[in-house]
Structure formats: structure tokens, C-alpha cells
Amino acid sequence: GRRRREAAEEEVEETPQEKKLRLAKQYLEELRQLGESCRAPGAVLGYSRAWGRVLGSPAHILLFLQVRPPDPARIRVLRGHQLPVTCLVISPDDKFIFSASKDGSLIKCKWEVDSGKRLCVVPGGKKGTEERHLGHASHILCMAISSDGKYLATGDRNKLIMIWDAATCKRLHIFTGHRDTVSGLSFRKGTHQLYSASHDRCVKVWDVAENAYVETLFGHQDVITGLDSLSRECCVTAGGRDGTVRLWKIPEESQLVFSGHQGSIDCIQLINEEHMVSGADDGSLALWGLTKKKPLALARQAHGEQEAQGLQQPYWISAVAALRNSDLLATGSHSGSVKLWKSGEGFRKLEHLLDIPLVGFVNSLKFSAAGDFLVAGVGQEHRLGRWWRIKEAKNSICIIPLKEKTTASSPESPGSS
């Protein structure tokens, strides 16, 4: 009883500042031990739940400690699209990749990650024939897959959203209603509620299970170029040249406006329920907190500069990806590499980790759910236009390993790779 009283007195006397200091020391000690354990083969990364609460995220995983520069020879290239890949998604179980391109004949492909085999191809057709055949009749610019892996959604330049059975690639429904190119799609996690964004400057909400339209949200002053969502009943969008990122609160029918980029904001993704990352054609990469109207961190000219028409111009950020609930980010451009970043100091700092050589326009980036690999959709042209063309690039899907696979020691068979 005396010991319990003494422990209670000590707990009462600890101030919030002292508690933070104690947790910080505990966190640094765990990092030191973690650094030693990570040197051992097959080490598994852990994290401090107590420190996660200090950072503001209950599951903030320090995955940058696990990432190693990949051997270029281990990057797998999947060929099949004749024209630039515009978008892709990975199935929730990390077994399949769905991709789309500007190609009118190979509009949508399904790939098996382990073997690299193309399992399903949905051919496209001519404009106006969507009711008579399965595929799209124009460029697909966005894709989304539901968190249970049941539904796949695709959006195109002809203002259409098509819903597919992800397992069989059978088309289930077509949503119409947008008045311009469909540029962003995202399923709310854990549901079949679908958010769509368009160049008509509005966001629409759909119920895919019921094949029903729900509502339309207005606010952007320019074309919407990207959209993302997680579990909460809200979504975030990038507003192109209106220079804003917006958080849409669906039940409240309200929106929060964020600004910080100088150019057109072309891509956006949520890191967790409280933070997001965006990229713009001025070359800047921004890290945001949903409670602040300005970026928490901003990396200008994140991919460097190029000489165009005698002028020095930054490489556009054409794709961003975030490994959910972690500190690991990726950006793509046409600078010759994909860059990996760490969001440090409680999401208040962007630190460049490493470059992964990749020739071409990186039009889409996605991390696997487990963080074992990163998938890039690459093309000779930007997904939205034909301003430049990189002839030496290959229109392909690149699977980039991020962690060394630990295997039992055994002699390799001749010719194995």
C-alpha cells in the first residue's frame, strides 16, 4: 500500500512538460536500440505508441529506417501498354495491379504482382460506343479500388465513370453527371462510397453498391486535378491553377481552403487522417496538417531544374504517394528519377532520402499496403498533355522493391535471378 501511494504521488507531481521529456528520452532510447536491431538480417521495425501520441498520430511508423536504395537490376518492368500509362492502383492484398493508358486498344490491364503476368485486358473503342462494348472510348485519367477489393472505378476524358468487378474485370455500371473530364476518384475506406472530381470544378459523391448518385460539392475556381480520401466522411482535392487544396466535410456541407503553392497543384494524397502531401508544376512539394491553412513544410524545386527554351525551369511534380500512417513519401517527375522523402519532426520537415533512377514521365505512384514495393506508371508523355516527349522512355509499369527479402540460405540454381 505504501508503494502504491508513493507511485500515485509521483504520477500526480509529473507535469505535462516532464511527461513529454520522459517520452522523448524513451523514444530516443528505442531509436538507438532499433538502429542496432535493424543491422541484423530480417529485423522487424517497431514503434512507440506513447511517442506516436506526442507526434499526433497513434500509428506513426518510422518506415524510412527500413528503406534501402534498390538495385536497378531488381526493378521489374511490365510492358503491354502502347501509349503512356496515366494511372494505376494496387489491390488491397498487394497481389494485383490495375493500370490504364492513353492507348485506345489496351485501355485497362490487370497484372499479377508476383509473376508479372497480364491477367486481363479490356479493349477500348470509338467515342460514342461505350454502351455497345466494355471499355472506355477515351483516355482514362484516374482509377480507384474499394478497400475490400470488390469494386474498381475508372474515369475518362468523356466525362464517364465506369464501375467494374475487380475480380472478373466485368463492367457493372456507368455513372454520368460530370460535365467535363473526370480527373480524380477515391473510395471512402471501409465503404462503397465513391468520391469523384472533374475538370468541371466540382466533386460528386456516389453510392456504388446502390448504383446511386448522392450529391455535388462546389467551390474550386479551376479544374480539379487530384482527389483522395480515407476513413472519415470527407475528401481532399487539388484545384490546379486556383492555387488551393480543399478539405470537403461531407456531412457538414463545408470546406476548408489551404494555400501555399505558387503553381498549378497537380497531385495530392493523404498520409493519415490529419496530414497530406501535394505537388505542383512549380516543382514544389508541400506537407500539410488539416488544422493549418499553410504548409507545415515546403520543398521548393524538389526535383531540380531543367533548361527549357533558354530558361531555367523547375521539373513539374507529376505524382505523389504516401505510405499510409508512416513517414515515407515518394514523388515523380520527368527528371530521370523517383525521389523518396521522410516527413520528419512530427510532419514539420521534409527530408530527401534517396533517388531511384527512372526515365520518362512518372504519371502515377502507389505504395503497396505493406510498404514492400513502390509501383510507378511511366510514359513518354505527361498524362494530361503532349508538351514534351521523352523518346528513350518506355511506356510501362515499374515495380520497385523497397525492402530486402530475407530467404533461407541455399545454393542458387543455375540461371536463377
Side-chain angles (χ1 to χ4, degrees), residues 32-207:
R32 185 187 65 77
Q33 295 174 0
L34 188 59
E36 294 174 355
S37 64
C38 279
R39 297 190 187 100
V44 178
L45 184 66
Y47 66 93
S48 167
R49 292 185 181 275
W51 183 251
R53 285 192 290 272
V54 175
L55 288 177
S57 171
H60 182 79
I61 308 174
L62 297 167
L63 281 172
F64 79 94
L65 292 174
Q66 280 186 302
V67 175
R68 297 292 179 268
D71 180 356
R74 294 184 61 230
I75 298 176
R76 291 191 292 149
V77 180
L78 309 183
R79 299 293 303 277
H81 291 291
Q82 300 302 312
L83 291 179
V85 176
T86 55
C87 55
L88 59 84
V89 293
I90 306 173
S91 63
D93 59 7
D94 289 346
K95 292 182 179 180
F96 305 103
I97 298 169
F98 297 88
S99 62
S101 81
K102 294 182 178 182
D103 198 321
S105 59
L106 291 176
I107 281 289
K108 183 171 71 68
C109 292
K110 179 179 180 179
W111 310 81
E112 189 176 51
V113 171
D114 288 341
S115 67
K117 291 181 180 179
R118 194 170 61 197
L119 302 178
C120 176
V121 176
V122 180
K126 294 182 180 180
K127 186 174 181 179
T129 64
E130 291 89 353
E131 294 295 339
R132 299 197 299 271
H133 71 276
L134 280 179
H136 287 267
S138 65
H139 301 171
I140 299 177
L141 292 186
C142 52
M143 307 177 87
I145 191 167
S146 58
S147 55
D148 60 1
K150 183 177 181 180
Y151 295 114
L152 180 75
T154 53
D156 69 11
R157 284 189 177 274
N158 281 352
K159 317 167 194 176
L160 299 180
I161 299 169
M162 293 191 183
I163 307 299
W164 309 80
D165 183 311
T168 64
C169 291
K170 178 183 177 182
R171 194 180 73 194
L172 303 176
H173 192 69
I174 298 179
F175 286 134
T176 60
H178 280 295
R179 292 174 287 111
D180 205 338
T181 299
V182 180
S183 54
L185 290 168
S186 180
F187 279 95
R188 181 186 171 197
K189 189 176 179 181
T191 75
H192 294 145
Q193 189 175 64
L194 177 69
Y195 303 114
S196 66
S198 168
H199 288 185
D200 64 11
R201 300 180 295 180
C202 72
V203 174
K204 290 185 182 291
V205 185
W206 314 84
D207 187 330

